[in-house]
Amino acid sequence: MPTIHGIIAYPITPFDSDSGGIDTGALSALVDRLVSSGVHAIAPLGSTGELAYLDEPEFDTVVDTTIAAVDGRVPVVVGVSDLTTAKTIRRAQYAEKAGADAVMILPVSYWKLTEREIVAHYTSIGESIGIPIMAYNNPATSGIDMSPELLVAMFETIDNLTMVKESTGDLSRMQRIDKLSGGQLPFYNGSNPLVLDALRAGASGWCTAAPCLRPQPCIDLYDAVRAGDLDKAQKIYDELKPLLEFIVAGGLATTVKAGLELLGAGVGDPRRPLLPLDDAGRARLRELLAEA
């Protein structure tokens, strides 16, 4: 399996303004631009990709289109999360068969899951596929908060659970994962405003939608930290920070789609119940992109 590191870019899912279905041409173009810009991996169908609002044929279409557009140039990590273990397994198996290098799984709940249920969920999925799993902790969207202790315990007992994406914005959790695993469990930052601190703390990569709008500064920031040029990294981060904070606060799918439209690469509106960015938000986003 190729090493997954660096800037892991999250494409949005474009919708056709007439049919409402997946705009495969727009998705292919966006993925190609991201890969050509120099990002280190592509991760479709996360929160930014509106996975929660897609039906199964649409999920399959996004997987196939993304992997074809990447064409083996960088690793592909497919988000496969669902409320049920059965549907998550179906999605994980489809992604593996289509050529994904890994899958990312967020334990989604209506009923609050116990740790025993979380372990059983990941274990069942891990036994059904042969590619690595990135465990994704984002309680703000999933309703479940997996502790560092639980994540490391699953790493030690589930053979192909080999990575963690931590999106709480709590740096101490990443440090705890690193300490508990003896540095053996790679962790990835999923909190845009925390990126500089996370990379300095040893995060293997930054999972982010920001490259859809500004890829080069994201790559430069990662490279500067790896080179030990923390003054340069701080300067890049300070320049990026207002945009990072804005797209998170306004909802990633909503703000990134508006930003792409402002940049001349329209990808349709987010799917209801999400709404397009309002006029005030668009005006501020236009300013942020112009300042860049």
Side-chain angles (χ1 to χ4, degrees), residues 89-171:
I89 287 174
R90 190 211 77 82
R91 290 175 169 179
Q93 290 176 333
Y94 188 92
E96 179 178 25
K97 185 176 180 180
D101 297 283
V103 294
M104 181 178 67
I105 300 171
L106 180 80
V108 186
S109 75
Y110 178 83
W111 296 107
K112 185 174 178 62
L113 303 181
T114 65
E115 287 197 355
R116 183 171 68 94
E117 289 166 334
I118 293 168
V119 171
H121 181 65
Y122 278 99
T123 299
S124 295
I125 299 162
E127 291 173 346
S128 74
I129 58 175
I131 56 177
I133 293 171
M134 177 185 285
Y136 178 17
N137 189 48
N138 190 353
T141 57
S142 71
I144 297 175
D145 189 0
M146 295 186 289
S147 69
E149 289 77 10
L150 174 60
L151 290 164
V152 172
M154 291 196 296
F155 166 67
E156 292 173 345
T157 57
I158 301 172
D159 288 343
N160 51 345
L161 196 158
T162 61
M163 303 169 277
V164 169
K165 176 187 173 185
E166 172 56 58
S167 296
T168 59
D170 183 349
L171 182 64

Side-chain angles (χ1 to χ4, degrees), residues 238-250:
D238 289 343
E239 192 271 330
L240 264 178
K241 185 179 178 182
L243 178 64
L244 297 179
E245 292 179 337
F246 180 86
I247 62 176
V248 171

Side-chain angles (χ1 to χ4, degrees), residues 47-249:
S47 304
T48 305
E50 300 180 71
L51 172 59
Y53 306 136
L54 304 184
D55 61 28
E56 295 309 282
E58 289 175 328
F59 171 90
D60 296 351
T61 295
V62 172
V63 171
D64 293 339
T65 301
T66 301
I67 290 175
V70 170
D71 194 25
R73 290 175 287 174
V74 296
V76 177
V77 183
V78 176
V80 299
S81 309
D82 187 73
L83 275 168
T84 69
T85 301
K87 191 181 288 185
T88 306
I89 287 174
R90 190 211 77 82
R91 290 175 169 179
Q93 290 176 333
Y94 188 92
E96 179 178 25
K97 185 176 180 180
D101 297 283
V103 294
M104 181 178 67
I105 300 171
L106 180 80
V108 186
S109 75
Y110 178 83
W111 296 107
K112 185 174 178 62
L113 303 181
T114 65
E115 287 197 355
R116 183 171 68 94
E117 289 166 334
I118 293 168
V119 171
H121 181 65
Y122 278 99
T123 299
S124 295
I125 299 162
E127 291 173 346
S128 74
I129 58 175
I131 56 177
I133 293 171
M134 177 185 285
Y136 178 17
N137 189 48
N138 190 353
T141 57
S142 71
I144 297 175
D145 189 0
M146 295 186 289
S147 69
E149 289 77 10
L150 174 60
L151 290 164
V152 172
M154 291 196 296
F155 166 67
E156 292 173 345
T157 57
I158 301 172
D159 288 343
N160 51 345
L161 196 158
T162 61
M163 303 169 277
V164 169
K165 176 187 173 185
E166 172 56 58
S167 296
T168 59
D170 183 349
L171 182 64
S172 68
R173 286 171 172 258
M174 299 183 196
Q175 294 168 328
R176 184 77 175 151
I177 288 168
D178 192 49
K179 182 178 180 179
L180 287 169
S181 70
Q184 297 303 302
L185 175 54
F187 61 92
Y188 299 76
N189 174 60
S191 171
N192 280 329
L194 189 67
V195 56
L196 180 55
D197 288 340
L199 291 175
R200 291 175 64 177
S204 295
W206 175 20
C207 303
T208 177
C212 292
L213 303 179
R214 296 206 59 205
Q216 196 58 54
C218 298
I219 296 166
D220 292 344
L221 174 59
Y222 175 73
D223 288 344
V225 174
R226 288 194 74 189
D229 191 344
L230 299 183
D231 289 338
K232 180 180 180 181
Q234 184 69 57
K235 183 177 180 180
I236 296 169
Y237 173 74
D238 289 343
E239 192 271 330
L240 264 178
K241 185 179 178 182
L243 178 64
L244 297 179
E245 292 179 337
F246 180 86
I247 62 176
V248 171

